[in-house]
Amino acid sequence: MNSESISLYAVAKTNKPEIKGKPLIKPKPLLFDRLDSWLNNHEKPVRYSLLSLCLLFSFLLFNARISEGNDDSLYIESGYNYATNFFHYYYTANAPFYPMFLGLVISIIGIKLIWPKLTSVLFNFLALLFFYKSFKTRMPTALLIPVLLTVAVNSYFQYFASQTYTEAIFLFVESLFFFYFFKLLDSLNELDHVPLKNNFKLWLAVGFLAFFLTMTRNVAAGVLLAMMFYFLIQKKMEVCAFFHRLLPGF
């Protein structure tokens, strides 16, 4: 082997990645990872753009009329009854929280249809904001943003943003519930054993929001069972015992 061949062999051996002792050449990040990194690096403008689109489509698709269904007129009528005779009127058609809220709005402003509809726009906007805050550290941003973008510009979601239905306020209360429930989970996961009194404020927030969920839509009554089942899977037996004591009264 001549000197030229020896030098070429030495160069090739030097440039060849070794498995032991030296790191291998890093592969290029996938498109998903690059997108996720870009979104995280531009978190503020992405968040503001998302919320601005939500508001824009809410007003572009804003419907100032009573809808073709009966529920919204029923809620407004019940809200008026609460506003004029709160202690002697009982709404029993379904969950009563939204008619009570409309009663508060009507007692302040009167029966002006545009204002209850604007509160639905506000609830829809805040729901998107708190869903973003709840899940931004719990799932890839490259997955979260497309999902919330679909919600922000979806005509079906935005239809309910300008109606006096329970959907908008329910989404808002649900987003708040997730926000505080995840805070509670983080607190419980810090240590294997966390006394309930150490985070009673979070427990109160989660409890009140679970109550308002069920008072907004009856289907949310299963939230306590879902929470108990989750803590059972996570083997949080002290928390499960706490829920077991709550369920008979609930």
Side-chain angles (χ1 to χ4, degrees):
M1 184 180 292
N2 54 31
S3 58
E4 183 178 357
S5 301
I6 294 174
S7 61
L8 289 174
Y9 174 78
V11 170
K13 186 177 180 181
T14 304
N15 293 334
K16 183 179 179 181
E18 294 184 7
I19 296 177
K20 295 182 178 180
K22 294 183 179 179
L24 296 174
I25 299 174
K26 293 183 179 179
K28 291 184 178 179
L30 299 174
L31 176 62
F32 181 87
D33 296 328
R34 294 204 299 270
L35 177 61
D36 191 71
S37 177
W38 187 89
L39 290 172
N40 287 326
N41 292 334
H42 299 80
E43 189 267 339
K44 276 193 175 181
V46 169
R47 171 161 46 97
Y48 291 148
S49 300
L50 184 69
L51 295 173
S52 300
L53 278 174
C54 178
L55 271 183
L56 174 64
F57 276 82
S58 293
F59 285 109
L60 287 176
L61 300 174
F62 191 87
N63 186 354
R65 300 174 300 173
I66 291 285
S67 77
E68 297 78 9
N70 178 57
D71 288 2
D72 56 345
S73 55
L74 177 64
Y75 294 142
I76 294 172
E77 180 185 1
S78 302
Y80 175 78
N81 290 331
Y82 272 121
T84 56
N85 194 18
F86 183 84
F87 293 103
H88 297 90
Y89 175 72
Y90 303 97
Y91 179 79
T92 57
N94 44 41
F97 177 64
Y98 187 54
M100 288 180 178
F101 170 77
L102 287 181
L104 176 63
V105 175
I106 292 171
S107 65
I108 297 172
I109 301 173
I111 301 182
K112 298 178 181 179
L113 186 59
I114 194 71
W115 290 105
K117 286 179 173 289
L118 286 176
T119 61
S120 292
V121 172
L122 177 63
F123 287 139
N124 185 67
F125 173 82
L126 292 175
L128 192 74
L129 174 63
F130 278 97
F131 274 127
Y132 176 82
K133 287 179 172 291
S134 300
F135 290 96
K136 69 177 182 178
T137 58
R138 298 182 178 273
M139 60 187 299
T141 310
L143 183 61
L144 176 64
I145 293 300
V147 171
L148 294 183
L149 178 62
T150 302
V151 173
V153 302
N154 187 283
S155 61
Y156 185 78
F157 275 92
Q158 297 306 329
Y159 170 81
F160 290 104
S162 62
Q163 299 294 336
T164 48
Y165 284 130
T166 59
E167 275 76 5
I169 191 172
F170 181 78
L171 280 175
F172 170 58
V173 179
E174 185 181 26
S175 67
L176 280 179
F177 173 81
F178 276 115
F179 181 74
Y180 283 101
F181 182 67
F182 287 151
K183 281 183 173 291
L184 177 62
L185 287 185
D186 292 338
S187 176
L188 293 175
N189 290 332
E190 287 179 359
L191 299 171
D192 292 334
H193 175 74
V194 181
L196 295 179
K197 63 181 181 181
N198 287 13
N199 42 33
F200 73 95
K201 291 182 180 179
L202 289 174
W203 277 111
L204 282 176
V206 170
F208 275 116
L209 289 169
F211 169 75
F212 282 122
L213 275 175
T214 60
M215 291 290 286
T216 306
R217 301 196 76 168
N218 297 126
V219 70
V223 67
L224 283 178
L225 287 173
M227 291 170 62
M228 183 176 178
F229 185 67
Y230 174 81
F231 286 122
L232 187 63
I233 293 175
Q234 297 296 318
K235 298 181 180 180
K236 302 284 187 181
M237 297 307 172
E238 181 183 0
V239 179
C240 290
F242 174 69
F243 274 97
H244 180 70
R245 291 193 295 269
L246 281 181
L247 285 177
F250 181 77

